[in-house]
Amino acid sequence: MKYLEFFTIDVWTMIFTWINMAILFTVVKMLLFKPVMKILDQRDAEIKKIYDDANQANEQAENLKREYDAKMARAREEAGEIIKQATLSAQRREAEIISDAQEKANIMTKRAEAEIAQERKKAYQEIKSEISDISVAIAGKMVQREITAKDHEALISQFIENVGEV
Amino acid sequence: MDVAINGPKILFTLPFAGGINITESVVHGWLVVAVVTGVCYWLTRDLSVTNPSRKQIIAEKLVTLVQGLVDANMGPQWKHMVPYIGTLFAFSFLSSVMSVAGLRSPTADFSVTLAMALVTFVLIEFYYYKSKGLLGFFTRLTEPVIVMTPMNIIGEFATPLSMSLRHFGNIASGAVITALVYGALAALSQFILGWIPNTFIANIPIAQVGLPAVLSVYFDLFSSAIQAYIFVMLTMANIAGTAD
């Protein structure tokens, strides 16, 4: 068996070592680093995509919620408006009805007052004519005895006084 | 009992260019290439993005480990160096650690570590040229004052030399110490059992049980890992330093 020196520089060993290192570098790069780095990059990209998707979905949900909230607020406002309108119109209607009723009552009262006044006038006329009749009748009776013009006058005014003011 | 401390064994000689000696260092280098190829092929079969298998997780861990190392020591702009740093670490570590199996480490051969360090040297010079241009490539040697130029040139060549010598020295000395301890323990076994007339029993290397295993943990596993790490760290630091 032949040996090289323990401490020596053998050019061919160096050359073969370089060849070995070159082969090893190619192998390590092509069989290990390249495929694994590719996988790691793909995984990173996938994770990024998942995050992006999640963020997008979140954003969408938030937008929907905002929209829904806005719609709800608008609906509530509308409902309030409707109630307010209804209350207002009811109040208006109430006032109308009351004023109507009052007006009617006023008219009726006036008519009744007018009627009463007329009736009273009528009654007064009637009474007056009746008084005339009675006074005529009394005069007729008085004719039977002697009556002075003085008596006559006293009698009528006394009667009218008894009837009272109209 | 004689203990032989040899250089790498010449396994065969190619019959051209005046005879090219193929040593253990080269063949064991092929072994490293073969093992790494097999492992890489096996680890990265059926890769999946969403559902990684157990071996894929190991492969990803290895890749991200080297990526993290390069990122921390060189910065993200040196991303393209990741496969080379991984290669260098794998070659250095596996070459050194194969002495566990009783194979002579290629890194216990100065020719191999020098070849490795020269690659780093070429990369350093290349990146100096790339970042400073042709003029800056030479003027950096005259800094901070022109008198320093010879020192700077020596320093430039000292980098690969010290790296390769450190790596070689650590691994080779580990191998030498291991061989010496084995020899000594064989002698001790002879001393303990040598009086037994039965030659089979007398030759059982009883003292070699135990202690070499403990030494092996240090010289083969720990030292291999540390030297590979140091070599890779120095390579990264020196290459990244060219951009300053």
Side-chain angles (χ1 to χ4, degrees):
Chain A
M1 270 298 157
K2 281 198 289 180
Y3 293 91
L4 286 183
E5 288 292 314
F6 185 78
F7 183 73
T8 181
I9 296 173
D10 182 56
V11 175
W12 282 109
T13 302
M14 287 176 69
I15 290 168
F16 278 111
T17 300
W18 283 325
I19 293 169
N20 281 348
M21 285 173 77
I23 295 168
L24 196 69
F25 175 71
T26 313
V27 163
V28 165
K29 190 176 178 182
M30 293 299 166
L31 281 183
L32 184 68
F33 280 92
K34 232 179 179 179
V36 171
M37 277 175 175
K38 203 176 120 202
I39 288 286
L40 290 176
D41 286 350
Q42 276 176 4
R43 188 173 300 152
D44 281 355
E46 201 150 296
I47 288 167
K48 198 180 166 296
K49 197 177 147 283
I50 288 168
Y51 268 101
D52 283 355
D53 285 357
N55 280 345
Q56 213 176 320
N58 220 7
E59 214 166 280
Q60 240 162 20
E62 217 132 275
N63 278 348
L64 279 177
K65 192 182 173 291
R66 216 172 295 133
E67 227 166 83
Y68 166 82
D69 281 351
K71 260 184 198 163
M72 276 308 278
R74 216 178 308 133
R76 220 169 283 139
E77 216 168 275
E78 261 166 38
E81 191 66 30
I82 286 166
I83 288 170
K84 214 159 99 187
Q85 287 290 334
T87 312
L88 263 172
S89 84
Q91 272 168 355
R92 216 179 303 127
R93 188 108 187 83
E94 185 196 347
E96 241 166 56
I97 287 168
I98 287 172
S99 75
D100 257 22
Q102 221 140 30
E103 212 170 298
K104 255 179 210 163
N106 280 348
I107 289 169
M108 278 164 92
T109 314
K110 253 177 215 164
R111 198 181 292 158
E113 271 170 5
E115 251 166 47
I116 287 165
Q118 215 163 355
E119 287 293 318
R120 187 177 279 181
K121 230 181 207 167
K122 219 166 113 191
Y124 184 70
Q125 290 296 333
E126 263 170 30
I127 286 166
K128 221 177 176 179
S129 81
E130 231 161 90
I131 287 168
S132 297
D133 284 354
I134 288 169
S135 47
V136 169
I138 289 169
K141 270 192 181 163
M142 286 292 223
V143 169
Q144 289 174 350
R145 61 169 188 146
E146 209 54 35
I147 206 165
T148 59
K150 207 181 162 191
D151 285 342
H152 210 129
E153 207 174 289
L155 210 69
I156 290 168
S157 58
Q158 193 191 339
F159 185 79
I160 288 168
E161 240 164 68
N162 284 345
V163 172
E165 279 299 312
V166 178
Chain B
M1 187 71 231
D2 54 314
V3 177
I5 308 288
N6 291 311
K9 197 188 286 176
I10 297 167
L11 294 175
F12 55 91
T13 305
L14 296 176
F16 45 82
I20 299 167
N21 292 327
I22 302 297
T23 64
E24 275 180 312
S25 304
V26 174
V27 175
H28 291 171
W30 295 343
L31 196 69
V32 169
V33 172
V35 167
V36 170
T37 306
V39 168
C40 286
Y41 177 72
W42 178 71
L43 281 179
T44 58
R45 263 183 323 165
D46 314 320
L47 292 180
S48 151
V49 174
T50 49
N51 187 24
S53 60
R54 202 173 292 190
K55 61 186 167 74
Q56 187 185 335
I57 289 166
I58 296 170
E60 284 175 12
K61 195 78 214 162
L62 284 173
V63 170
T64 48
L65 198 76
V66 181
Q67 273 178 333
L69 205 66
V70 171
D71 211 43
N73 292 295
M74 301 179 82
Q77 71 272 28
W78 293 97
K79 222 186 220 160
H80 56 281
M81 287 300 294
V82 169
Y84 178 67
I85 297 299
T87 306
L88 198 62
F89 188 87
F91 188 69
S92 167
F93 178 68
L94 292 175
S95 293
S96 306
V97 89
M98 69 166 62
S99 57
V100 164
L103 301 169
R104 192 180 199 282
S105 298
T107 42
D109 183 345
F110 182 61
S111 309
V112 173
T113 57
L114 183 63
M116 286 161 67
L118 282 179
V119 176
T120 297
F121 176 74
V122 168
L123 285 172
I124 290 169
E125 300 307 312
F126 171 73
Y127 283 115
Y128 263 130
Y129 171 70
K130 211 175 162 188
S131 76
K132 294 188 194 305
L134 192 60
L135 190 70
F137 178 81
F138 291 108
T139 53
R140 90 194 139 89
L141 294 170
T142 64
E143 280 161 9
V145 277
I146 196 130
V147 200
M148 290 295 284
T149 306
M151 291 295 182
N152 284 335
I153 291 170
I154 291 170
E156 211 62 23
F157 287 101
T159 303
L161 201 65
S162 71
M163 280 172 76
S164 57
L165 280 171
R166 177 186 299 110
H167 202 342
F168 160 75
N170 274 280
I171 303 303
S173 64
V176 169
I177 291 171
T178 306
L180 288 175
V181 168
Y182 261 105
L185 292 174
L188 186 64
S189 308
Q190 198 76 33
F191 179 71
I192 295 167
L193 298 175
W195 54 272
I196 295 171
N198 186 321
T199 48
F200 177 74
I201 292 173
N203 284 328
I204 293 174
I206 186 168
Q208 285 181 5
V209 176
L211 185 60
V214 178
L215 289 177
S216 179
V217 168
Y218 179 79
F219 286 119
D220 294 328
L221 295 176
F222 181 72
S223 185
S224 300
I226 282 291
Q227 288 311 315
Y229 184 72
I230 289 170
F231 200 89
V232 163
M233 284 304 253
L234 286 171
T235 299
M236 286 194 291
N238 281 311
I239 291 175
T242 61
D244 300 337

